[in-house]
Amino acid sequence: MPEVPVNGVRLYYEEHGQGDPILCIHGTSSSAMVWRPAAIDELATLGRVICYDRRGCTRSERPAPYETSVAQHAEDAMGLLQALDAVPAVLIGRSYGGETAVELALRHPRTVRALVLLEAALLTLDKEAMVWAGELRAAVEAAAARDVSSVAETFLRRVLSDEQWESFRDPVRQMFVDNSPAILAEFRGPWLEATEADLARIHVPTLLVAGEASPPAFRRVTERMAASIPDSRTVLVGGGHFIDPGEPDVLAFVGEIRGP
């Protein structure tokens, strides 16, 4: 497996295509396994797509004991891009991966060429969203107290839907279950607490993508980000929180960034 040492851990990664770098950052519970292969193939016609497993997830190293934060994952992404000579990059981040992309853009703006935020889970931006997040956190902790391996199912049934959870193939579902300790670490560690003023410092083209059937908390946060990030646009797509990076609006946006 291709791996690179970054900030004291081994990160699994894979590359597709050639040209300007495009980094895909997955959400909580996931890994590079969750990106639809056809979507990655389409993105790879637009540049050099780099997918990786964030620290603690699936094929990347999980330190013991494992404690983490959005800031740590942003620094890992920065280290990975530097190690692969892939700066600046278009960042495509889903959910917690979107938080990671925003944090990276704020910490190292020259590293980022553009942002595609697939319902970035910047829940601290909105009080009502944080009420929902608090209920989700309580459900996750209750599941952990019963059986750590049940954390993934509890989390994903609430964030995605019962139907989405039950639609996953067995290997993918097992991947989520195996990442239950990583889910706990990401819930317990510091989240991104960027303010509207912080987001106003992001001066790269940004596409915000929201899902029609997602929990309302994500739509509220997306709307607040749209009002704060100067060069941003928002699109609404069908389905829930598990937004696909091969959506036509995403491909068109990345194509625009690449230029003729």
Side-chain angles (χ1 to χ4, degrees):
M1 296 192 302
E3 295 180 333
V4 64
V6 173
N7 299 328
V9 297
R10 299 184 310 277
L11 297 182
Y12 166 87
Y13 73 96
E14 54 191 57
E15 298 191 55
H16 309 263
Q18 298 179 336
D20 295 332
I22 302 166
L23 181 68
C24 294
I25 310 175
H26 65 80
T28 293
S29 78
S30 302
S31 74
M33 291 173 61
V34 300
W35 303 116
R36 188 170 59 91
I40 297 303
D41 289 344
E42 290 178 291
L43 281 170
T45 67
L46 302 173
R48 174 191 174 196
V49 179
I50 301 167
C51 305
Y52 74 110
D53 294 356
R54 291 189 289 102
R55 80 162 56 210
C57 298
T58 311
R59 294 157 295 191
S60 287
E61 185 176 359
R62 181 182 300 159
Y66 182 43
E67 299 174 350
T68 193
S69 66
V70 171
Q72 184 177 60
H73 287 282
E75 291 300 329
D76 284 353
M78 174 68 177
L80 178 67
L81 290 172
Q82 289 180 322
L84 299 180
D85 192 21
V87 175
V90 174
L91 306 185
I92 300 178
R94 179 194 278 159
S95 196
Y96 190 100
E99 282 184 89
T100 301
V102 170
E103 178 83 342
L104 179 53
L106 291 172
R107 285 172 169 255
H108 305 287
R110 294 183 181 178
T111 303
V112 181
R113 189 174 181 189
L115 292 171
V116 178
L117 304 177
L118 309 178
E119 289 196 329
L122 218 172
L123 298 168
T124 55
L125 267 183
D126 184 87
K127 289 183 179 180
E128 287 189 29
M130 280 302 291
V131 171
W132 177 82
E135 295 170 352
L136 177 61
R137 191 198 303 262
V140 165
E141 290 288 357
R146 293 191 304 270
D147 179 358
V148 171
S149 66
S150 71
V151 165
E153 180 174 353
T154 298
F155 170 69
L156 290 170
R157 283 186 182 275
R158 284 176 172 256
V159 172
L160 302 181
S161 69
D162 292 335
E163 294 76 16
Q164 180 74 73
W165 169 258
E166 289 160 9
S167 74
F168 288 125
R169 295 177 294 108
D170 287 344
V172 175
R173 193 179 302 178
Q174 188 61 50
M175 179 268 297
F176 291 132
V177 170
D178 292 343
N179 281 335
S180 288
I183 299 172
L184 276 176
E186 290 174 17
F187 263 90
R188 292 170 175 172
W191 295 353
L192 175 61
E193 296 193 7
T195 65
E196 283 90 346
D198 293 326
L199 297 178
R201 296 192 286 108
I202 296 176
H203 294 293
V204 296
T206 300
L207 180 68
L208 301 163
V209 188
E212 290 179 345
S214 284
F218 292 113
R219 182 79 60 80
R220 294 180 64 85
V221 169
T222 296
E223 290 171 353
R224 285 186 172 271
M225 288 190 290
S228 303
I229 300 174
D231 186 9
S232 66
R233 69 183 87 162
T234 304
V235 297
L236 184 65
V237 299
H241 186 56
F242 213 61
I243 298 173
D244 191 89
E247 287 284 348
D249 287 298
V250 173
L251 297 174
F253 176 81
V254 175
E256 288 175 22
I257 299 303
R258 183 186 65 163

